[in-house]
Amino acid sequence: MKSREYQQIDPQALPTPVRTPPHDHPQAGGGDGRKEPRRTPRRKWEVFPGKNRFFCDGRIMMARQSGVFPLTLGLILVTSGLFFIFDCPFLVKHLTGCIPAIGGVLFVFVLVTLLQTSFTDPGILPRATPEEAVDVERQIDDTGNTSYRPPPRTKEVLINQQVIKLKYCFTCKMFRPPRTSHCSLCDNCVERFDHHCPWVGNCVGKRNYRFFYTFIVSLSFLTAFIFGCVTTHLALRAQGGKGLVFALKESPGSAVELAICFFSVWSILGLSGFHTYLVASNLTTNEDIKGSWSGKSGEGVTNPYSHKNIFINCCSVLCAPMPPSLIDRRGLVPAEESAQTSGMDTERPKLNNKSEMNVVGGSLHLVFDVQESCSDFSLLLNQTKTVPLPARSLVACYSPNTVSVCFPVSECCVKVTPLCAVFQLLSKVCIDHAFYWVWLVVFYGVHQAQLLVCLHQAYIMEGNCLSFNKSTEITVFHCSFV
Amino acid sequence: MSDPLFPDGTCTQQHAVKNRYQTEIFNMAETHSLQDMRQQAAVAAKVFVQRDYTSGTMCQFQTKFPSELETKIDKQQFEETIRTLNNLYAEAEKLGSQSFIEGCLACLTAYTVFLCMETHYEKVLKKIAKYIQEQNDKIYAPRGLLLTDPIERGLRVIEITIYEDRSFTR
């Protein structure tokens, strides 16, 4: 493999991939196969790239995997229902009428905060626009880095005299703000990411942490309250030598409640206690688990976000002004960006020999000319094929007659050689000729658009395997992100 | 100039093929990109003012003057705009007694007030939107610039679009 000098591909010289190309016949529109170019504008939640589900026309959102949220809801409803049906009448008669009132208030609190935790946007950061991504890339490259080594993907900032490393998120194409983390289940960067809670079926982040905290605190009160009431109820019934078994037979629902409450009260109380500690020290579960500020990594590492006062910490977490949702779910998608954000469009026959690349959200459409090469390399077929590419691929069209397929190889592929990376790509491309000249511009490396691997030579495709003939050469050089 | 896709200038048979296509490809590439530029004639460039994290996770933007705007606008003016925006965002996120009372009240009602009432943050965001509109109308539009409200970019950046000076192309 020969390695060559690097050249920057100037992004200005490349046609912008996000623009809808001029066409002489109407193209298919968004992912649902509508044909007219003009149609009712769509709301942004319909083209949201993360793994979320939206209800009520974008007003309510959850993670795509609802986890055990139905179980949580079911347990709470069942236990509370049994409490009101079986225990309250007895306790009202023998003790006081406050009991169902308190129980009712707690139940309403728990339910409302649970629904708010599950249905609120946790603080999702919208993904960077392509122009922003180019700009970030340019700022990194301004250091004059033309060496083979990929530029660093962390940025250091000084917060309250602490050095914090900001990581670059490949999916969202931006440097994550401090305390932001990318949730792999929801495929979103979430601000002040605490954890992804399967019990509520959503991430817990900046915007819904207070709901979550109120939920677990009120749930622990409710569970403890029901547990206490049921015990009192059974104790009162078993009075006078009648025995516990008799009491349970008279009120079978109480047995169920007792079991549920007994097993859950400890973990819920524990969780409440843990989160109270987190709130008081202005930490997130994520940071606590990783031990970011515990001083393991060195001396003098303290939490730079803490206000050093328990009361102020609690206020800033629970009583701070409610931040707005940044993803604007119910906004309308602007018409000229609909090509950029619309979903997959898998069978759109391409127009002519000019290769027009559309970056359509997370997956893309690529049309390219493959030139079949025979032994004398003289035959030029100019066939066009439309192939869907793996998600997160980007295309820079270097020239109309070349295939330019650029995709960020995921981190796990970094250790793989360039050839293998190409294999992975090409094996998804259904080309069924024997010999090809394919110009592939493959982005490969830890940073998007760090290296270009260009295949000049023909290769043989047998089934899903690729092998290169002896004269394969690979050119590696640096390129700017487009 | 050596083409990155064809860095090897030697003329083997394979490279002869490459070179044959090269000219054709280059010509088409050139026309292609000229067409693109003409269609994008309005927007010359976009400048992004990134966030400033030195005071933590609060929403603040860097006041560093971008070099692309040197010929377009006065440095003082620009810094004044950014500083005012920073102050407005700080006001939105401020932990004052008013926000404390609002927070406690909200907690007591199981946060259902958020469904009915406009939060303090949203009120300040409206103020910010108005301020940006005003700045655009008075200062930036006459100079061929446009500020985009950061909320439309997820509070990540302030996007400043530089429009090409049409008077030169006439």
Side-chain angles (χ1 to χ4, degrees), chain A residues 2 4 7 9 12-13 15-16 19 22 109 112-113 116 125-129 131-132 135-136 139 157-160 166 174 177-179 210-211 214 305 307 311 315-316 318-324 326 354-355 371 375-377 379-380 398-402 437 439 441 454 456-457 471 473 475 477, chain B residues 1-8 13-15 17-18 20-21 24-26 28-29 32-33 35-37 39-40 44 46-48 50-51 53-57 62 68 91-95 99-100 102-104 107-115 119-122 125 151-157 159:
Chain A
K2 304 179 207 164
R4 305 204 190 262
Q7 287 187 13
I9 290 185
Q12 305 302 332
T16 349
R19 203 177 36 80
F109 241 75
V112 167
T113 47
Q116 283 183 323
L125 278 177
R127 302 193 180 178
T129 57
E131 294 106 359
E132 279 179 58
D135 188 71
V136 168
Q139 283 183 9
V157 290
L158 205 63
I159 298 177
N160 287 337
L166 300 184
M174 58 180 173
R179 306 191 107 175
R210 65 191 74 191
F211 304 142
T214 316
Y305 312 107
H307 301 267
F311 184 65
C315 283
S316 73
L318 301 174
C319 300
M322 181 73 175
L326 297 174
K354 291 209 183 69
S355 60
Q371 301 148 14
S375 55
D376 60 351
F377 306 104
L379 195 55
L380 173 63
Y398 187 72
S399 81
N401 277 352
T402 58
W437 279 93
W439 313 108
V441 175
C454 182
H456 290 276
Q457 297 291 330
S471 50
E473 66 182 28
T475 306
F477 47 89
Chain B
M1 174 200 126
S2 76
D3 175 2
L5 280 184
F6 306 90
D8 189 349
Q13 182 187 27
Q14 296 158 344
H15 291 134
V17 173
K18 276 191 236 167
R20 215 189 308 150
Y21 294 139
E24 188 188 21
I25 283 166
F26 259 123
M28 292 176 85
H32 212 97
S33 46
Q35 276 171 7
D36 301 334
M37 272 163 42
Q39 269 152 359
Q40 294 175 2
K46 287 193 185 198
V47 183
F48 295 97
Q50 300 285 343
R51 284 270 294 269
Y53 294 116
T54 49
S55 40
T57 50
Q62 293 178 353
E68 293 92 334
E91 183 195 324
E93 297 181 17
K94 196 172 70 136
L95 289 177
S99 70
F100 175 67
E102 266 180 22
C104 284
C107 183
L108 288 175
T109 61
Y111 300 108
T112 45
V113 288
F114 288 145
L115 301 168
T119 66
H120 172 65
Y121 210 115
E122 282 168 359
L125 282 180
I151 195 73
E152 292 174 30
R153 297 285 177 261
L155 293 182
R156 287 185 307 262
V157 287
E159 186 180 299

Side-chain angles (χ1 to χ4, degrees), chain A residues 59-136:
Chain A
R59 289 181 180 89
I60 290 176
M61 63 180 289
M62 286 183 76
R64 195 169 289 176
Q65 307 169 357
S66 56
V68 288
F69 173 67
L71 178 69
T72 313
L73 202 57
L75 277 176
I76 292 173
L77 289 172
V78 160
T79 316
S80 309
L82 287 175
F83 173 72
F84 288 121
I85 295 170
F86 284 98
D87 298 284
C88 280
F90 183 87
L91 289 169
V92 166
K93 206 162 41 151
H94 289 87
L95 278 181
T96 161
C98 288
I99 289 183
I102 298 174
V105 166
L106 282 174
F107 172 66
V108 165
F109 241 75
V110 165
L111 209 56
V112 167
T113 47
L114 170 64
L115 294 178
Q116 283 183 323
T117 313
S118 303
F119 294 157
T120 309
D121 169 17
I124 295 175
L125 278 177
R127 302 193 180 178
T129 57
E131 294 106 359
E132 279 179 58
V134 176
D135 188 71
V136 168

Side-chain angles (χ1 to χ4, degrees), chain A residues 237-251:
Chain A
R237 271 200 202 262
Q239 259 178 353
K242 294 196 197 133
L244 186 60
V245 180
F246 170 74
L248 283 172
K249 267 198 258 185
E250 287 219 324
S251 176

Side-chain angles (χ1 to χ4, degrees), chain A residues 274-342:
Chain A
F274 174 62
H275 276 279
T276 309
Y277 157 71
L278 289 182
V279 164
S281 34
N282 204 330
L283 279 174
T284 63
T285 308
N286 204 21
E287 287 166 356
D288 189 70
I289 288 178
K290 285 193 197 157
S292 319
W293 319 120
S294 65
K296 272 191 265 184
S297 42
E299 303 90 38
V301 178
T302 56
N303 183 3
Y305 312 107
S306 167
H307 301 267
K308 315 285 183 219
N309 177 323
I310 291 180
F311 184 65
I312 298 182
N313 279 339
C314 292
C315 283
S316 73
V317 175
L318 301 174
C319 300
M322 181 73 175
S325 173
L326 297 174
I327 54 178
D328 190 23
R329 304 183 290 277
R330 291 179 41 81
L332 297 171
V333 177
E336 69 272 2
E337 286 175 22
S338 53
Q340 178 184 358
T341 52
S342 60

Side-chain angles (χ1 to χ4, degrees), chain A residues 161-223:
Chain A
Q161 281 82 47
Q162 288 264 352
V163 175
I164 312 283
K165 280 203 169 76
L166 300 184
K167 283 177 132 181
Y168 184 81
C169 183
F170 299 121
T171 318
C172 306
K173 297 187 217 111
M174 58 180 173
F175 278 99
R176 282 185 214 131
R179 306 191 107 175
T180 304
S181 192
H182 189 94
C183 176
S184 42
L185 288 164
C186 306
D187 204 25
N188 290 314
C189 269
V190 177
E191 283 193 292
R192 203 183 183 280
F193 180 74
D194 197 82
H195 65 286
H196 182 99
C197 187
W199 296 95
V200 303
N202 201 2
C203 287
V204 177
K206 182 160 95 166
R207 293 187 78 243
N208 64 351
Y209 186 73
R210 65 191 74 191
F211 304 142
F212 176 74
Y213 182 72
T214 316
F215 166 63
I216 55 175
V217 167
S218 47
L219 185 64
S220 47
F221 279 133
L222 180 69
T223 319

Side-chain angles (χ1 to χ4, degrees), chain A residues 215-221 223 261 263-274:
Chain A
F215 166 63
I216 55 175
V217 167
S218 47
L219 185 64
S220 47
F221 279 133
T223 319
C261 288
F263 287 115
S264 48
V265 74
W266 312 113
S267 40
I268 296 174
L269 273 176
L271 196 62
S272 304
F274 174 62

